[in-house]
Amino acid sequence: MSPTVFFVAIVSAMLINNVVLMRFLGVCPFLGVSKKSETAIGMSAAVMFVMVVGSILTYLLYYFVLEPFEITYISTIAFILIIASLVQLVEMFIKKASKKLYKALGIYLPLIVTNCAILGIAETNIREGYAAEYGVGQGMLVATSSAFGAALGFALVIFAFSTIRERLEAADVPTAWKGIPISLVVAGIMALAFLGLEGIV
Amino acid sequence: MWPAIATVFIIIALYLGTYLLNRRTPQPVDAAPSSEACESCMNYSCGFKQRMEED
């Protein structure tokens, strides 16, 4: 299998099918946790870890449990529970392993359970049919690359948006536009800018 | 239908297990998440936010 496949999966998920601006998933943390760039970085790191590990686990669950038993119709509820369990495990591990990391990421971990981008990427990895195209084993690698690219895309967009919002705090914005209204306008312009990247890959 | 019910119950048990284990794991000393991060977040369904508002 050519390494180009992984590169294309990462770039495509990161820029062309950006999880926030093109698929409109994870908009809640995008607007909620982007007021300061420090919080945006913390949230991005937590999302990146859970999205990649969550994608691997849900992929394995789908192809080794749900499909053999012909119970793929429960995939959504199964994926939600697997992601929620993973978040609990990660939080527990971080509590034990690293005080510093817990202080940095601890607050963002409960928020991730309600982040639909994680579930969306897990579902997309199945719907894209990587297993049919590359086989279950190699398909998992492509799905993981795609999840990593989506997480990078989320991090890129939320960080860029947070820096713009920090700048907007100091800008002379009409009262009616202050806060969320001007942020939504900025998000719309960012989405338009990302449309320009279509066709790269 | 039974494999579906069994799978859902196993995953629910897995979630409850990890939830209880996480709850019983003590928080590191002096590592309480800072309230500054909460101030810039608008997710009011978050447990941290609710706890800080109660305090």
Side-chain angles (χ1 to χ4, degrees), chain B:
Chain B
M1 194 177 92
W2 291 109
I5 294 170
T7 309
V8 169
F9 269 100
I10 290 167
I11 301 173
I12 289 173
L14 178 77
Y15 173 69
L16 287 176
T18 51
Y19 173 77
L20 291 173
L21 278 173
N22 184 27
R23 212 174 162 185
R24 283 180 194 168
T25 308
Q27 213 173 317
V29 187
D30 299 334
S34 69
S35 57
E36 276 177 30
C38 270
E39 279 165 18
S40 66
C41 174
M42 287 177 286
N43 190 332
Y44 290 95
S45 62
C46 170
F48 278 111
K49 191 101 177 163
Q50 286 166 2
R51 243 176 284 153
M52 278 174 189
E53 277 177 3
E54 279 167 15
D55 294 340

Side-chain angles (χ1 to χ4, degrees), chain A residues 77-150:
Chain A
I77 192 160
F79 288 0
I80 291 171
L81 286 165
I82 286 288
I83 291 163
S85 307
L86 175 69
V87 171
Q88 297 292 340
L89 262 181
V90 169
E91 194 175 346
M92 190 169 64
F93 177 76
I94 290 176
K95 270 183 190 172
K96 286 271 184 196
S98 170
K99 185 174 152 183
K100 209 174 168 185
L101 197 63
Y102 180 73
K103 209 170 178 181
L105 295 185
I107 204 160
Y108 306 106
L109 288 169
L111 290 173
I112 288 176
V113 182
T114 60
N115 187 346
C116 60
I118 312 273
L119 179 67
I121 292 300
E123 289 277 9
T124 306
N125 283 340
I126 303 299
R127 221 171 343 113
E128 289 287 329
Y130 295 129
E133 201 173 341
Y134 306 105
V136 175
Q138 288 188 332
M140 192 183 83
L141 295 177
V142 180
T144 309
S145 306
S146 177
F148 179 65

Side-chain angles (χ1 to χ4, degrees), chain A residues 59-81:
Chain A
Y59 187 91
L60 292 174
L61 179 81
Y62 188 89
Y63 286 107
F64 290 102
V65 179
L66 303 184
E67 211 179 54
F69 287 110
E70 295 176 353
I71 49 171
T72 51
Y73 55 89
I74 62 160
S75 64
T76 306
I77 192 160
F79 288 0
I80 291 171
L81 286 165

Side-chain angles (χ1 to χ4, degrees), chain A residues 29 33 37-51 105 108 112 115 118 151-160 162:
Chain A
V33 198
S37 50
E38 292 89 28
T39 54
I41 292 169
M43 185 67 179
S44 304
V47 164
M48 195 173 287
F49 183 79
V50 175
M51 198 178 268
L105 295 185
Y108 306 106
I112 288 176
N115 187 346
I118 312 273
L152 280 179
F154 180 85
L156 172 78
V157 164
I158 198 171
F159 179 70
S162 69

